Amino acid sequence: MAGSDIVAQTIVDAQAASTTFVAAAARPSSTFTIANSSFTQAQARKLSVTTTGASDNGKTVTIVGTDLNGKSLTEVIVSTGSAATVSGSKYFKTIVSATCSAQYAANVSVGMTSEASASFNTGRTRLKAFTTISNSVSHRVDFIDGLAPEDDNAVVVFITKTSGINNAADDVYIPEEGVLFKTNLIIKYDVAGAHMVTAFHA
């Protein structure tokens, strides 16, 4: 019987968003103490900055780390004038430092959102099938050809959604030769909508 070249890879992440995951609430004059510098299964997450005081409009936290592909990544998150959580737009795989532009009026923390990105393969591959295990909320899953979501050449090849039925498996089989990813097979998803994704590719 002939063997198969298909590889099955599973991403598991049930870690909920946390406003203090990266740096606990404090009032540093410049650099935060980093509590956690990476995430579940070396995935990437969007980050957030949470303030508890007023008069912080325009103050910033500059976050330095790496993207999903291991390349250097920097993002500046700008705070509002009242206590609020402000989310960034980039996906960090690791965090090297977080530095505020000025001391905040009250405690400020750096956290992670529920929006995640993960890599299944580096290099050319064909997606043959995939399975998502849903949480009780339906969210979209983007299948991307690129090294990282921030990559200028990254392309969303197709989009699906989880069912929103807790622990339900949504199985999708792709006919013929599957879907070609020329650079890399990565996904963007929300852990509130899916806590497991398995890709079958060759």
Side-chain angles (χ1 to χ4, degrees), residues 14 25 30 37 40 75 85-86 88 97 113 124-125 130 141-142 157 175 178 183 189-190 202:
S30 59
S37 60
T40 299
E75 183 169 30
T85 296
V86 179
S97 65
T113 74
R124 184 183 178 97
T125 193
F130 65 89
V141 181
D142 293 11
V157 177
T183 305
Y189 70 107
D190 196 308

Side-chain angles (χ1 to χ4, degrees), residues 11 13 39-46 67-69 90-93 113-120 142 144 146-150 184-191:
I11 299 298
D13 190 350
F39 308 99
T40 299
Q41 284 196 343
Q43 295 186 56
R45 286 284 188 107
K46 283 185 179 181
D67 68 9
L68 192 59
N69 192 44
K90 298 181 178 181
Y91 291 83
F92 283 81
K93 183 177 181 179
T113 74
S114 60
E115 295 177 81
S117 181
S119 175
F120 284 103
D142 293 11
I144 300 171
L147 295 176
E150 296 79 20
N184 189 23
L185 169 56
I186 63 176
I187 60 169
K188 287 195 306 185
Y189 70 107
D190 196 308
V191 299

